[in-house]
Amino acid sequence: MEMKAAWTTRDVALSVHRGFRTIGLFTHGFLAGYAVWNIVVIYVLAGNQLSTVSNLLQQYKTLAYPAQCLLYLLLAISTVSAFDRIDLAKASVAVRGFLTLDPAAIASFMYFAALVLSLSQQMTSDRINLYTPPSENSSLWTSGAEEQILQPWIVVNLVIALLVGISWLFLSYQPQLDHSEELMFNAEVEEFPPPDKEAKVSS
């Protein structure tokens, strides 16, 4: 009867890392599709040249808060997953990845930028969620200011959709690219050298 080798903490770490990488790949694709769907819905409701912003506010207000929360959650997971692919333990290697246009490094930067942009527009999303017609006394909106407030919000959502879409293309081109896992394997080889090499070193 063959005995299976006991798992070490390194084996568990690598298994969890690979599992999270698989979840991250799914999240990247789902986020790209969701961001495109979100911006399409916004532009359809806003009309040509933002001619029906009042319709956008009335129809999108129930979606604003859950949509932005889901977007933030997916962006957070995708950002962590993307940064998990680059070797942050060595700053020089990480910087070299950015300078050499490494796909994982570029995707990490784009996801982080999209996450920051998403957070920058959270107040506007909350304001949309609380939308009431300007004619009401308790309204947070003033007549004629809707387009001025919504235009930057729409542009930011468009930029986010572009960033996550391009990032997904970079990562899907090389889905197995993972410098963190390479670092783990290299550390294992250095820590446990082959018997022949170890004998030569001791001699």
Side-chain angles (χ1 to χ4, degrees):
M1 182 177 180
E2 296 183 359
M3 297 293 293
K4 293 184 178 180
W7 276 35
T8 64
T9 54
R10 192 186 306 276
D11 295 331
V12 175
L14 285 173
S15 298
V16 173
H17 179 78
R18 290 167 180 167
F20 183 72
R21 184 178 62 191
T22 302
I23 296 173
L25 281 174
F26 171 78
T27 305
H28 297 320
F30 184 77
L31 172 60
Y34 173 74
V36 172
W37 171 85
N38 185 51
I39 195 62
V40 168
V41 169
I42 290 174
Y43 270 101
V44 168
L45 294 177
N48 188 25
Q49 300 294 327
L50 303 181
S51 58
T52 57
V53 289
S54 59
N55 178 58
L56 170 63
L57 290 170
Q58 292 174 359
Q59 301 296 330
Y60 194 80
K61 69 176 184 178
T62 56
L63 294 175
Y65 195 70
Q68 289 301 313
C69 288
L70 179 58
L71 180 64
Y72 175 73
L73 175 64
L74 294 174
L75 278 171
I77 296 175
S78 297
T79 303
V80 173
S81 175
F83 272 105
D84 206 28
R85 292 170 174 266
I86 61 178
D87 186 7
L88 291 177
K90 298 179 181 178
S92 59
V93 177
V95 173
R96 185 174 60 190
F98 284 105
L99 296 178
T100 57
L101 302 181
D102 182 77
I106 296 175
S108 302
F109 175 77
M110 287 185 173
Y111 276 124
F112 181 74
L115 181 62
V116 173
L117 289 174
S118 176
L119 290 174
S120 69
Q121 295 300 311
Q122 190 61 46
M123 185 178 295
T124 305
S125 298
D126 292 339
R127 194 171 181 178
I128 295 173
N129 183 57
L130 299 173
Y131 172 77
T132 53
S135 57
E136 297 185 8
N137 294 331
S138 60
S139 177
L140 299 175
W141 297 79
T142 57
S143 181
E146 294 94 339
E147 183 176 346
Q148 182 180 359
I149 296 173
L150 288 178
Q151 189 170 6
W153 178 78
I154 294 174
V155 172
V156 167
N157 277 278
L158 176 60
V159 173
I160 290 174
L162 292 175
L163 287 174
V164 299
I166 296 173
S167 301
W168 172 69
L169 289 177
F170 274 119
L171 293 180
S172 62
Y173 179 71
Q174 291 181 318
Q176 300 302 323
L177 179 64
D178 193 336
H179 298 303
S180 294
E181 185 171 334
E182 294 173 3
L183 176 64
M184 291 181 185
F185 277 122
N186 291 337
E188 183 178 8
V189 171
E190 292 175 1
E191 185 177 353
F192 302 102
D196 296 339
K197 184 177 179 181
E198 188 176 0
K200 291 180 181 179
V201 172
S202 60
S203 62

